[in-house]
Amino acid sequence: MNQSKKLVSKIIPLIIALLIITLGIVWGIKTTNDKLEIPFSSVEEILQNQNGKPVVLTEHSDGSLLLEVGSIKYESHVPPNSQMIDRLVENYNINYSFTNSSRFGKWIMAGVILALVGTALVLQKTKGGFGLSNSMKNSVSQARPLPNTRLEDVGGIGDEMKEEILQTLSTLKEPERAIKMGIKPPKGILLYGPPGTGKTLLAQAIARELNAAFFSASGSAFNELFVGVGASRVRSLFQSARKQSPAVIFIDEVDALAGKRKAHGGEEAEKTLTELLVQLDGGHSNDGILFIAATNRKDMLDEAFLRPGRIDFTFQVPLPDTKGRREIIDIHTKGKTISEEVLASLDALAESTSGFSGAELQSLFETASRRAVRNGQDALTKGDLDYALDRTILGSTSRSLQDLDTKRRVAIHEAGHAIVASLTKPGSVRKATIIPRGEALGYVAPIPKELHLSTTSDLLDRVAMVLAGGVAERLLLGEHSIGVSGDVQQAKQIIEQMVDTGMLQGGFTLTFNKQDKEAKMQELFEKGLETAENLIKSHHHQYQQLVDSLLKKETLEGYEVEEIVWGKTPVKSDEFFA
């Protein structure tokens, strides 16, 4: 801010001085004018005295007239809206011309050009280069404050990966010992994996462990419209890091900088990449400098960038498993006031959030904490976490269903999903509700499990569960609604995958004919419908109670669904189907 004020204080006086000089020149020219000033009434008299000799008359847009008679020049002004000029041109031998430019226009333009040149010179002298490009270079070549994140603060990292990182850091912390063992310190590390898995945190933790100057930038920060700016930024960044060794250079979203080069080449982005390759391993001394890059798209990176000598270690940072999620949950619950019920259910939470990244788990607890504060609570409750889970997975809650017919249809639909899910996979339902959330009018929230190898039976059960909502609507109401469209598409994807991989009930059979493939898909679809219908009909008492409970409570927790389906609470014996 102070530098900007100093710069402005230098530029403004320069511009004022140049404008004064320009005005002075214009005034001097005007006062030393050798033209004779005459009134407009005298112009015609002069033309009459020429007796038919040619004269030159120039009219300016500001109303001034310049009359040239031989070597004598006269200056006059035409009255506003006067037609006298046209009459004079018709009656006398006049070479007439009209110009839009001012008589002093070229002098004013010269003053503007002088002002711009002077400003550029001031910038050049002040910053040692043109301010724009120099500020671009400085924007990424300054060290950031050393992060407070340590390795123990980063959860969800596998034991093997953590051990390899520590081994890598030991060669950087003890270079002399590493040299005795014939080991060269690594020059570059690549971290890749899905968004939100902690790649940036890991880079900050590494810088903290090394107690090194930390330079951080995004890959897109090196891509500019101006020719040579990107390469200049890369060069400036490494020069600054060498001066402050030991240093860590971290570039996030490096695919924007080190993407694969095209065949024809010559683009500005490729020149920037070439400069990065040279700085990493092109004869420069990078002792004490560790380059760390992070990306979600490793497949987009240039092979020359990935080769050993530039990137010596590549670490995949995957989505955390159950153990990793439990570590992340411990980190985000530290310092929070949590109820005993929540503390007892954290292991179950880690198991039921399969597929969540570290960032999503953080968002989960922030959402739950905001709800607790809004409700005036002193501690985080299980209800807060349930709300946060639904909010994270499905989106915000819309208004409750007011139409009774629609509400009953949604209850019938969701009860169909819930009973088939509970019968085919006991304990797989976390919640069933008819409260709209996101684009869904109701939903049955499953308990996600870790990735496993699904069998044909597993996939058929899943197809039956997905189709059970529409089946229930047809059984009770005679026809299904458009609300089953998403279910049908999901079932179609599963069935198509089964046929493509030969996962059929008759054995391992691949089908290459399109007609046969469609026939087998139709067979599996009908099998799913049949399974769902049989399960609902054979457990119609439990199903009726699920519908009644959903209409009454609107939301059923997983344990309530299990109690109803597996007969742990009384059920009505009313005949449900006609």
Side-chain angles (χ1 to χ4, degrees), residues 141-143 215 235-245 247:
S141 61
Q142 295 179 353
F215 295 83
R235 194 160 45 247
S236 176
L237 173 61
F238 276 84
Q239 288 173 353
S240 299
R242 293 185 188 107
K243 293 176 183 178
Q244 301 185 46
S245 176

Side-chain angles (χ1 to χ4, degrees), residues 181-287:
M181 298 293 292
I183 303 173
K184 292 183 179 180
K187 292 184 178 180
I189 294 175
L190 175 66
L191 306 174
Y192 73 96
T197 51
K199 298 182 290 293
T200 301
L201 283 176
L202 195 54
Q204 294 175 347
I206 291 174
R208 181 70 181 183
E209 293 294 326
L210 294 175
N211 195 27
F214 186 61
F215 295 83
S216 177
S218 169
S220 61
F222 298 90
N223 296 330
E224 290 289 347
L225 175 65
F226 304 97
V227 176
V229 171
S232 177
R233 283 183 170 191
V234 173
R235 194 160 45 247
S236 176
L237 173 61
F238 276 84
Q239 288 173 353
S240 299
R242 293 185 188 107
K243 293 176 183 178
Q244 301 185 46
S245 176
V248 170
I249 298 176
F250 173 61
I251 297 182
D252 199 6
E253 307 297 342
V254 74
D255 48 282
L257 170 62
K260 291 181 180 179
R261 287 171 284 189
K262 297 179 181 178
H264 54 79
E267 295 184 1
E268 180 62 22
E270 296 187 9
K271 297 176 183 178
T272 306
L273 171 57
T274 301
E275 183 62 36
L276 175 63
L277 299 179
V278 170
Q279 292 296 327
L280 284 173
D281 186 25
H284 296 283
S285 176
N286 288 337
D287 294 338

Side-chain angles (χ1 to χ4, degrees), residues 18 63 106 133 159 197 224 238 279 352 371 415 433 443 445-446 459 471 502 515 544:
L18 290 172
K106 59 183 180 181
S133 61
D159 293 336
T197 51
E224 290 289 347
F238 276 84
Q279 292 296 327
S352 63
R371 184 174 186 267
T433 181
Y443 59 95
L459 293 176
V471 170
Q515 186 174 358
Q544 180 183 8

